[in-house]
Amino acid sequence: MMAAPGMVNNMGMGEYSEQQYMEQEEEWEREGLLDPAWEKQQKKTFTAWCNSHLRKAGTGIDNIEEDFRNGLKLMLLLEVISGETLPKPDRGKMRFHKIANVNKALDFIASKGVKLVSIGAEEIVDGNLKMTLGMIWTIILRFAIQDISVEEMTAKEGLLLWCQRKTAPYKNVNVQNFHLSFKDGLAFCALIHRHRPDLIDYHKLSKDNPLENLNTAFEIAEKYLDIPRMLDAEDMASTAMPDERAVMTYVSSYYHCFSGAQKAETAANRICKVLKVNQENERLMEEYERLASDLLEWIRRTMPWLANRQTDNSLINVQKKLEEYRTYRRVHKPPRVEQKAKLETNFNTLQTKLRLSNRPAYMPTEGKMVSDIANNWKGLETAEKAFEEWLLAEMMRLERLEHLAQKFKHKADIHEEWTKGKEEMLQSQDFRHCKLNELKALKKIHSAFESDLAAHQDRVEQIAAIAHELNALDYHDSNSVNIRCQRICDQWDRLGSLTQKRRQALDETEKILEKIDTLHLEFAKRAAPFNNWLDGTSEDLVDMFIVHTIEEIQGLIDAHNQFKATLGEADKEYNAIVSLVKEVESIAQKYQVPGGLENPYTTLTATILTKKWADVRQLVPQRDGTLQNEFRKQQNNEMLRRQFAEKANQVGPWIERQMDAVTAIGMGLQGSLEDQMQRLKEYQQGVQAYRPHIEELEKIHQAVQESMIFENRYTQYTMETLRVGWEQLLTSINRNINEVENQILTRDSKGITQEQLNEFRSSFNHFDKNRTGRLAKDEFKSCLVSLGYSIGKDRQGDIDFQRIMAAVDPNNSGAVTFDAFLDFMTRESTDVDTAEQVIDSFRILAADKPYILPDELRRELPPDQAEYCIQRMSPFKGAGAVPGALDYMSFSTALYGESDM
């Protein structure tokens, strides 16, 4: 079922033809919705409308179905309202003469593009009232209503929108159609008051007095506006639903009567449009400045932190700094990446809007250009890379320092334990009170000590070398290391000097003491190196180590296994040395040698060697366990390497594929701009959905770093390269979305079709061989020629081309972007607002005065835009200025960057 009468205004925009009315009325008639009173209202209204035009020719009609039957007044009516001359009418009174004249009128109507449906000359000649009213309505539609245009809507919709706008401020008026909305007469009174407030006091009218309201409007319109009374107040008030055609006809007379005021409204609309654009641009500029200031201030605050290389040379402090850096990359930086992308997007959108609205390009305050932000951002990323590299290198250095410091302490402890009491022993004068054999024993003891002393020379040199390395690596407690090392070296020098003096003393007494205990001497000679071997072996078995790979720990395990293979020979040597002691005991017992069980050549005993040998045998399995624990640790590290590599080798190629796909979309040949936007949004959602993979990789990377893993042979990707790739992907998607939005904005504002845009993009891409998104001069010229743009090869052609290049490449960079290319291809054929157009609009509102008053602005413009103008317009200082006069000319030129305002 079709909509009820009067609801056609919701059926769509555009022209409302007679054919549509005829078809709809037939439907209404079948459903019993037509009101018999409508025909009466139409007859009265159409008669008055025809007479309002026929009186210009000095005639009129009394009966609409009778007076048009011969076609003469019908042809005259068409000549008056069209201003054209119809063919000469037939003057005969026969039926065929009348039919011929009516046909001439109908042919003229058809020649104006009006399709007549079911209306023939015979029905008009026969006085068919319904057909006659239909014909007149067709004429009214074509010559009184069809040319009405408001915001690209025509005919009925345009007229309805005009009524709605004019009556919007009035209480109790809500125009939604051309029947019930006008039934109480307030809408007619509001239209009159809006344009001629001097003719009617609207505030005294009441919705409860429809007859009074209707008569007031009809009388004032007829008396002061020369609009004939086409409607009857009683019919309007008493009919359940007034005839829509009659009301539209009458209202169209109001529209044409106030067409002068319509010019002022059009001017006001243009000004509002321009001011709205300017206000939005100012908002975008302020937002850009705020975002840029905030981002640059954050970078400024962050850079000193990244440049700080001060530590207390402790591993814990550096590990804390590394954790702070991880928090910065995970928590603090991602919002700034989004802020930077938003900043670039806002800047590009603003520049596009300024260019499309014929405004000068926006120049941010000094230091806040997009290039400035990019340079600062690049500096930040360089500082990040350097800071992370320094942290990792510092961790490796401090780890080695800690290892060296522990090794120094371990060796120093062993050495100091060995030297304990040695100075007192060397300074002893015991040899002066012993027997010959005892003296010889003392001499052998001293020889053994010298051998022992020489064997300990390597340890002292190692201690000094470690101390030197700790100093070179700037160990935080190097002062105490140096003091202890110096104490050991000084003591070593004293031991050497004392040893030499004792040797000399023993040599002087050697002539007195000659007997030597061979067995004790043999024990001393063999026990000393074996004891040194035991000490060295014990030291090696508890020696600390640091490795980073399975190969390194495997090497230590292999070396340990080789050492264990030598334990058999060591056991033989141990048994041989112990057998010497047993032999001494046997001889001393057999011959009762006084003091024979005491070895005068060494302080070593079989008990000491036995204990140390037992200690070595116990340390061997402990060393096995330590090496195996480290082996498992390196296995875990290897697992982390493989785990990171496996994930990185998935994420890295995925990011690269997304980048390639986004770049391909950015080339603009994959469907319409809306299709490209949809695909980019899908990629944006897909990338956001992929973020957990990056976060998972970050967790693995953290475990890698905490395990002190500094290299990975299983992948070419590092966490840093993946972070950069991820941020570049996000930035690329945002940038391409922004570019497509700007292209849509350009396409829609310039009125170009998708096919034209595809043609422009295809041509641009064809000559963009390197896919840089820019065309060199020669490529740009070839592209223009391919699109049919004529550029001569003579001197004038060069001049024309240089003029074009100056427009599309104002910075003289030598290349043309797609946005600039698109803007050029559409600019010259598109109607854009100019300063001159805005000035003309203000001049209309000001009634041709060179200035405008605040009251005039407030009357014609919305409140916010009126105040916007009043606050920014300079006082008018020209001739004839009155108090409060404002200079709208300088204000208009300032909107387009053509003055110093």
Side-chain angles (χ1 to χ4, degrees):
M1 179 176 178
M2 295 186 63
M7 297 302 291
V8 293
N9 59 309
N10 294 321
M11 293 176 61
M13 296 164 59
E15 290 198 24
Y16 205 77
S17 68
E18 173 60 20
Q19 180 180 1
Q20 290 173 298
Y21 270 106
M22 296 283 289
E23 293 171 351
Q24 190 173 53
E25 283 191 348
E26 289 176 1
E27 181 70 20
W28 290 345
E29 187 172 7
R30 285 195 300 271
E31 297 181 9
L33 296 176
L34 285 179
D35 190 333
W38 289 0
E39 190 172 277
K40 176 185 176 183
Q41 292 175 7
Q42 288 183 19
K43 182 176 179 180
K44 178 178 178 64
T45 301
F46 292 176
T47 300
W49 184 85
C50 292
N51 284 333
S52 68
H53 293 285
L54 288 173
R55 68 185 180 184
K56 300 173 184 177
T59 185
I61 61 172
D62 297 319
N63 191 322
I64 196 167
E65 69 265 37
E66 293 294 331
D67 293 349
F68 285 135
R69 291 177 63 180
N70 60 10
L72 296 178
K73 287 189 177 181
L74 179 60
M75 294 177 68
L76 181 61
L77 174 66
L78 291 172
E79 288 184 339
V80 171
I81 61 177
S82 69
E84 300 180 24
T85 302
L86 273 68
K88 188 175 181 181
D90 293 358
R91 291 298 178 181
K93 296 183 179 182
M94 301 296 290
R95 176 178 172 80
F96 72 87
H97 292 122
K98 297 177 181 180
I99 290 174
N101 289 336
V102 173
N103 274 326
K104 290 176 182 179
L106 296 180
D107 290 343
F108 179 78
I109 295 172
S111 71
K112 297 302 179 181
V114 179
K115 185 177 181 181
L116 298 171
V117 180
S118 303
I119 298 178
E122 290 80 359
E123 287 83 355
I124 305 302
V125 172
D126 292 340
N128 186 317
L129 178 59
K130 181 176 180 180
M131 292 300 175
T132 302
L133 292 175
M135 177 190 67
I136 298 302
W137 172 242
T138 300
I139 295 172
I140 293 172
L141 270 180
R142 172 61 183 84
F143 294 101
I145 297 177
Q146 181 174 308
D147 292 336
I148 295 174
S149 176
V150 179
E151 288 192 358
E152 301 182 3
M153 292 186 284
T154 58
K156 177 181 179 180
E157 293 297 332
L159 184 60
L160 185 64
L161 179 59
W162 178 79
C163 293
Q164 290 171 339
R165 286 186 172 178
K166 293 300 182 181
T167 61
Y170 291 89
K171 182 180 179 182
N172 294 328
V173 177
N174 182 18
V175 177
Q176 295 297 323
N177 48 55
F178 286 109
H179 40 77
L180 295 178
S181 296
F182 287 87
K183 186 175 172 63
D184 60 10
L186 288 179
F188 293 118
C189 293
L191 288 174
I192 296 173
H193 184 268
R194 179 63 185 268
H195 297 91
R196 290 291 304 275
D198 57 307
L199 298 180
I200 192 169
D201 188 351
Y202 182 83
H203 302 292
K204 291 183 178 181
L205 302 178
S206 171
K207 190 176 183 68
D208 298 329
N209 300 317
L211 273 176
E212 181 181 341
N213 299 337
L214 290 166
N215 282 319
T216 298
F218 298 162
E219 290 170 2
I220 291 176
E222 186 172 35
K223 182 176 180 180
Y224 296 103
L225 303 178
D226 199 26
I227 298 176
R229 184 189 286 258
M230 301 182 187
L231 300 174
D232 184 88
E234 286 74 12
D235 290 344
M236 286 284 292
S238 61
T239 304
M241 184 180 294
D243 178 59
E244 189 174 50
R245 294 184 181 182
V247 175
M248 280 182 66
T249 302
Y250 187 55
V251 172
S252 69
S253 299
Y254 280 68
Y255 177 88
H256 292 296
C257 175
F258 298 131
S259 60
Q262 185 66 21
K263 292 181 180 179
E265 182 178 359
T266 300
N269 287 339
R270 180 182 289 275
I271 292 171
C272 288
K273 175 184 174 184
V274 171
L275 295 181
K276 184 176 181 182
V277 169
N278 232 53
Q279 290 170 318
E280 174 63 15
N281 291 342
E282 288 179 2
R283 185 190 67 77
L284 288 175
M285 292 176 190
E286 291 173 359
E287 182 177 7
Y288 176 85
E289 292 286 338
R290 178 182 61 78
L291 288 175
S293 299
D294 181 61
L295 183 59
L296 289 172
E297 175 61 21
W298 177 79
I299 293 175
R300 185 192 67 77
R301 294 196 310 269
T302 304
M303 289 296 284
W305 175 68
L306 292 174
N308 183 10
R309 300 292 189 269
Q310 294 182 352
T311 69
D312 60 0
N313 266 336
S314 67
L315 187 60
I316 294 176
N317 180 264
V318 176
Q319 288 173 335
K320 181 180 178 183
K321 280 183 174 288
L322 180 60
E323 185 57 36
E324 290 174 354
Y325 179 70
R326 290 183 184 132
T327 301
Y328 158 79
R329 289 306 301 258
R330 288 196 308 266
V331 179
H332 301 299
K333 188 182 179 187
R336 299 298 179 173
V337 174
E338 296 176 3
Q339 182 178 359
K340 176 175 176 288
K342 180 180 180 182
L343 193 67
E344 294 174 352
T345 297
N346 288 0
F347 182 81
N348 292 335
T349 299
L350 174 60
Q351 298 293 42
T352 299
K353 287 187 175 183
L354 289 171
R355 184 175 71 251
L356 294 176
S357 58
N358 202 23
R359 304 305 199 272
Y362 166 58
M363 183 64 65
T365 56
E366 185 176 357
K368 296 180 183 176
M369 294 287 291
V370 172
S371 58
D372 296 325
I373 293 169
N375 290 335
N376 279 271
W377 190 264
K378 184 177 180 182
L380 176 71
E381 292 178 332
T382 301
E384 288 175 351
K385 185 174 184 297
F387 186 62
E388 186 172 20
E389 290 175 351
W390 171 77
L391 281 174
L392 296 177
E394 191 69 4
M395 285 185 65
M396 293 179 67
R397 183 181 74 83
L398 292 175
E399 184 188 29
R400 177 165 177 76
L401 273 177
E402 291 295 330
H403 170 71
L404 288 174
Q406 292 296 323
K407 192 170 186 178
F408 173 84
K409 180 180 181 302
H410 181 64
K411 289 186 176 293
D413 288 344
I414 294 174
H415 177 77
E416 289 176 344
E417 181 65 26
W418 177 82
T419 60
K420 188 180 297 182
K422 294 295 189 294
E423 289 189 64
E424 292 78 4
M425 183 269 291
L426 291 173
Q427 292 173 342
S428 172
Q429 299 294 316
D430 55 350
F431 61 88
R432 297 189 185 278
H433 307 288
C434 64
K435 299 176 182 180
L436 179 61
N437 64 324
E438 292 173 342
L439 179 62
K440 289 184 179 290
L442 288 177
K443 190 174 181 181
K444 294 300 181 182
I445 290 172
H446 192 69
S447 295
F449 173 75
E450 287 179 326
S451 177
D452 203 7
L453 187 68
H456 281 76
Q457 178 69 33
D458 287 344
R459 182 182 291 123
V460 175
E461 291 176 355
Q462 290 175 8
I463 290 172
I466 294 172
H468 178 74
E469 189 170 1
L470 286 170
N471 278 281
L473 293 176
D474 194 22
Y475 180 57
H476 68 93
D477 196 19
S478 58
N479 186 48
S480 62
V481 170
N482 292 336
I483 292 174
R484 190 174 187 184
C485 180
Q486 188 62 46
R487 185 170 66 246
I488 290 172
C489 291
D490 291 343
Q491 185 190 41
W492 187 254
D493 291 340
R494 289 196 304 273
L495 287 175
S497 177
L498 291 172
T499 300
Q500 187 176 3
K501 290 179 180 179
R502 186 171 178 82
R503 162 60 66 184
Q504 292 173 353
L506 289 173
D507 287 344
E508 291 175 356
T509 318
E510 185 178 11
K511 295 177 182 180
I512 304 172
L513 305 174
E514 295 178 350
K515 188 174 182 178
I516 300 172
D517 190 338
T518 303
L519 290 174
H520 279 317
L521 181 59
E522 179 68 15
F523 175 85
K525 287 183 177 180
R526 296 181 69 172
F530 187 69
N531 180 65
N532 288 335
W533 178 85
L534 287 173
D535 290 341
T537 298
S538 297
E539 184 178 346
D540 290 341
L541 287 174
V542 296
D543 192 20
M544 292 176 290
F545 56 86
I546 179 171
V547 295
H548 293 99
T549 66
I550 287 182
E551 289 78 11
E552 290 177 352
I553 188 61
Q554 187 63 53
L556 293 179
I557 292 174
D558 293 342
H560 183 63
N561 290 332
Q562 291 175 6
F563 161 73
K564 289 193 293 184
T566 67
L567 291 179
E569 291 297 324
D571 187 61
K572 292 179 181 179
E573 180 66 11
Y574 164 74
N575 290 326
I577 294 173
V578 170
S579 68
L580 292 175
V581 175
K582 292 179 179 179
E583 188 175 356
V584 168
E585 292 175 349
S586 175
I587 294 173
Q589 183 179 3
K590 181 177 181 180
Y591 296 105
Q592 297 295 311
V593 178
L597 295 179
E598 297 179 4
N599 192 325
Y601 305 115
T602 180
T603 58
L604 293 173
T605 66
T607 302
I608 294 175
L609 294 179
T610 298
K611 182 180 183 305
K612 289 187 177 182
W613 177 242
D615 290 342
V616 166
R617 296 177 69 85
Q618 184 179 2
L619 288 173
V620 169
Q622 293 179 3
R623 185 69 167 183
D624 284 333
T626 302
L627 292 173
Q628 289 302 320
N629 289 337
E630 183 62 29
F631 184 78
R632 285 191 290 273
K633 175 185 175 184
Q634 292 303 323
Q635 282 183 319
N636 181 66
N637 289 354
E638 191 73 359
M639 179 194 71
L640 286 175
R641 288 189 183 95
R642 292 179 182 275
Q643 188 177 1
F644 178 84
E646 180 181 0
K647 192 67 178 177
N649 290 337
Q650 296 174 1
V651 173
W654 185 88
I655 292 176
E656 293 164 1
R657 291 195 300 273
Q658 305 309 301
M659 284 291 293
D660 292 342
V662 171
T663 301
I665 295 175
M667 296 305 297
L669 294 179
Q670 301 184 9
S672 66
L673 290 177
E674 285 73 13
D675 294 336
Q676 297 171 32
M677 178 63 72
Q678 177 64 28
R679 294 194 64 194
L680 286 171
K681 293 288 187 180
E682 291 172 356
Y683 272 102
Q684 188 179 50
Q685 294 174 357
V687 169
Q688 291 302 325
Y690 200 76
R691 184 180 292 275
H693 294 277
I694 300 296
E695 294 172 350
E696 179 184 355
L697 202 56
E698 285 283 6
K699 293 179 181 177
I700 300 173
H701 178 63
Q702 180 174 345
V704 167
Q705 285 192 331
E706 290 173 350
S707 298
M708 309 298 286
I709 301 172
F710 303 106
E711 54 82 28
N712 193 337
R713 62 180 178 272
Y714 300 113
T715 180
Q716 62 178 338
Y717 298 102
T718 65
M719 195 64 235
E720 180 61 29
T721 60
L722 293 175
R723 288 172 186 151
V724 172
W726 177 258
E727 293 174 2
Q728 288 177 346
L729 176 59
L730 292 175
T731 302
S732 177
I733 291 175
N734 288 331
R735 184 179 295 114
N736 277 281
I737 287 176
N738 178 242
E739 290 178 357
V740 173
E741 287 174 342
N742 289 340
Q743 290 175 26
I744 291 174
L745 187 60
T746 301
R747 180 196 66 190
D748 295 343
S749 64
K750 298 294 187 179
I752 62 176
T753 65
Q754 183 64 47
E755 289 73 18
Q756 289 175 305
L757 188 63
N758 289 343
E759 181 184 6
F760 295 155
R761 171 58 81 177
S762 176
S763 298
F764 187 91
N765 288 345
H766 175 76
F767 291 98
D768 182 14
K769 304 296 185 183
N770 298 327
R771 297 296 182 259
T772 61
R774 302 161 67 88
L775 297 182
K777 285 186 177 181
D778 293 341
E779 294 172 335
F780 177 55
K781 180 184 288 187
S782 300
C783 186
L784 291 179
V785 172
S786 73
L787 290 169
Y789 203 95
S790 177
I791 300 177
K793 296 183 178 181
D794 54 5
R795 181 173 179 273
Q796 183 59 44
D798 292 338
I799 293 174
D800 292 341
F801 183 67
Q802 291 303 322
R803 176 183 59 80
I804 295 172
M805 283 300 298
V808 297
D809 183 24
N811 296 325
N812 198 25
S813 65
V816 181
T817 64
F818 180 72
D819 283 345
F821 169 72
L822 179 61
D823 187 52
F824 168 76
M825 294 303 296
T826 58
R827 185 188 308 134
E828 296 184 359
S829 61
T830 306
D831 179 27
V832 297
D833 293 321
T834 63
E836 290 75 14
Q837 289 175 325
V838 176
I839 290 173
D840 290 341
S841 297
F842 274 118
R843 185 179 290 113
I844 292 173
L845 299 185
D848 289 332
K849 298 191 300 294
Y851 58 83
I852 193 166
L853 298 175
D855 289 344
E856 292 173 327
L857 290 170
R858 292 190 177 102
R859 183 177 69 243
E860 299 294 343
L861 300 178
D864 60 329
Q865 296 190 343
E867 296 305 319
Y868 179 85
C869 295
I870 293 170
Q871 292 174 7
R872 287 166 172 74
M873 283 187 181
S874 302
F876 180 75
K877 299 180 180 179
V882 300
L886 300 174
D887 186 355
Y888 60 78
M889 293 186 182
S890 62
F891 172 77
S892 300
T893 55
L895 291 176
Y896 293 86
E898 300 175 11
S899 75
D900 295 330
M901 286 186 62

